[in-house]
Amino acid sequence: MTDDHNLGEAAQESTDLRTRTADFFQRMAAAPGANDPAHTAARDGLVRLHMPLVEHLARRFRNRGEPYDDLVQVATIGLIKAIDRFDSDRGVEFSTYATPTILGEIKRYFRDKGWAIRVPRRLQELRLSLTAATAELTQELGRAPTVAELSDRLGLSPDLVIEGLESANAYNTLSLDAPDQNETDATTVLDGLGGEDEALESVEYRESLKPLLAQLDTREKRILTLRFFRGMTQSQIAEEIGISQMHVSRLLARTLTELRTGLLKE
């Protein structure tokens, strides 16, 4: 019974918010001009009415090193811009239109304060264009636009739109000691960046052997290849090249001794 009551209250509050919002926009439209007191009062009423939305969106960015009060102030500017641009005849709820506009204003603030990773100016400007286009299309469509729709609106290729959207990731960086969000244990990002290569020590030996191997005759090279790269036994090697196993053993021993001596001289 309590849950039904709470749901009923929430639904009523939502209805009241839409009704009051529509009323304020009607008052603004009826005012003679933007400087008229009635227009200003209705505009201020819309700002006060939607401050909970502003504070909710600002809280999403409060752990990025900027004071929460500053974020609220920036988000409020975004709200005011949304109010001034909103067209109630579109049939879209104001909160649906205002949300991307407010978020865009906050993200612009972080861009101006400094990017965690240096992003070319063209991408910064592209991000602004995408934010504005997203707000406009959201109002027109009643939902978030797709990449294709943004591409058509801005006259850009889909790849460039995606690049602009992804450039927002440069607003913040992640500590290498931060836990990997895709893992359930305490693994950090640094743990997944690779480890010590066990074969690294053998690189020097391989490089030192190259000129020594080049000095061997064809049969000695073939015996080494068959023994150490193809894993054949001495009997199999003897059958492969047409000599006795004893001969293979002597040639292999002599060749290895020569290589070992050459490495020690180096």
Side-chain angles (χ1 to χ4, degrees), residues 177-229:
D177 294 321
D180 190 338
Q181 297 180 358
N182 297 321
E183 300 292 338
T184 56
D185 56 16
T187 303
T188 65
V189 176
L190 183 61
D191 293 331
L193 295 182
E196 186 174 325
D197 188 347
E198 297 179 355
L200 189 60
E201 295 182 356
S202 64
V203 173
E204 182 179 352
Y205 296 121
R206 290 200 302 270
E207 292 301 312
S208 299
L209 274 173
K210 282 183 179 180
L212 300 175
L213 291 172
Q215 297 173 8
L216 299 176
D217 62 34
T218 303
R219 184 170 64 174
E220 290 172 337
K221 289 179 182 178
R222 188 178 182 193
I223 291 174
L224 287 177
T225 300
L226 295 175
R227 180 70 184 92
F228 296 104
F229 293 93

Side-chain angles (χ1 to χ4, degrees), residues 64-67 70-71 74 105-118 121 124 170-172:
R64 298 194 180 187
E66 293 298 322
D70 289 354
L71 295 176
V74 172
E105 193 68 25
I106 296 175
K107 291 177 180 179
R108 184 182 297 109
Y109 170 75
F110 277 99
R111 182 209 65 185
D112 294 339
K113 290 287 289 186
W115 295 63
I117 300 173
R118 180 58 184 169
R121 184 65 183 177
Q124 297 183 31
Y171 279 115
N172 63 310

Side-chain angles (χ1 to χ4, degrees), residues 33 35 90 92 104 110 119 126 144 162 189 204 212 242:
N35 295 325
R90 296 284 186 179
V92 178
F110 277 99
V119 173
L126 175 59
I162 293 173
V189 176
E204 182 179 352
L212 300 175

Side-chain angles (χ1 to χ4, degrees), residues 19-222:
T19 301
R20 294 176 65 190
T21 298
D23 180 60
F24 279 127
F25 274 114
Q26 288 175 1
R27 294 184 191 182
M28 287 179 61
N35 295 325
D36 185 82
H39 184 282
T40 302
R43 188 169 180 256
D44 292 344
L46 283 167
V47 172
R48 290 192 299 271
L49 188 61
H50 291 87
M51 281 306 296
L53 174 63
V54 165
E55 293 168 352
H56 169 72
L57 295 176
R59 279 195 294 271
R60 292 171 55 178
F61 296 84
R62 69 184 309 170
N63 294 323
R64 298 194 180 187
E66 293 298 322
Y68 174 66
D69 290 343
D70 289 354
L71 295 176
V72 170
Q73 183 176 8
V74 172
T76 303
I77 294 174
L79 172 64
I80 294 172
K81 290 182 177 180
I83 292 172
D84 292 341
R85 298 170 182 170
F86 183 67
D87 183 358
S88 56
D89 293 335
R90 296 284 186 179
V92 178
E93 284 192 31
F94 174 69
S95 59
T96 301
Y97 171 79
T99 295
T101 305
I102 296 170
L103 290 175
E105 193 68 25
I106 296 175
K107 291 177 180 179
R108 184 182 297 109
Y109 170 75
F110 277 99
R111 182 209 65 185
D112 294 339
K113 290 287 289 186
W115 295 63
I117 300 173
R118 180 58 184 169
V119 173
R121 184 65 183 177
R122 67 175 183 83
L123 287 181
Q124 297 183 31
E125 294 174 350
L126 175 59
R127 177 64 184 171
L128 292 179
S129 298
L130 286 169
T131 299
T134 298
E136 293 172 358
L137 286 170
T138 298
Q139 181 178 352
E140 294 174 9
L141 303 172
R143 57 171 173 79
T146 64
V147 170
E149 289 164 344
L150 287 170
S151 175
D152 290 340
R153 174 57 60 92
L154 295 175
L156 302 173
S157 68
D159 288 342
L160 190 57
V161 170
I162 293 173
E163 184 182 10
L165 294 173
E166 290 180 343
S167 68
N169 294 329
Y171 279 115
N172 63 310
T173 55
L174 183 63
S175 169
L176 294 179
D177 294 321
D180 190 338
Q181 297 180 358
N182 297 321
E183 300 292 338
T184 56
D185 56 16
T187 303
T188 65
V189 176
L190 183 61
D191 293 331
L193 295 182
E196 186 174 325
D197 188 347
E198 297 179 355
L200 189 60
E201 295 182 356
S202 64
V203 173
E204 182 179 352
Y205 296 121
R206 290 200 302 270
E207 292 301 312
S208 299
L209 274 173
K210 282 183 179 180
L212 300 175
L213 291 172
Q215 297 173 8
L216 299 176
D217 62 34
T218 303
R219 184 170 64 174
E220 290 172 337
K221 289 179 182 178
R222 188 178 182 193

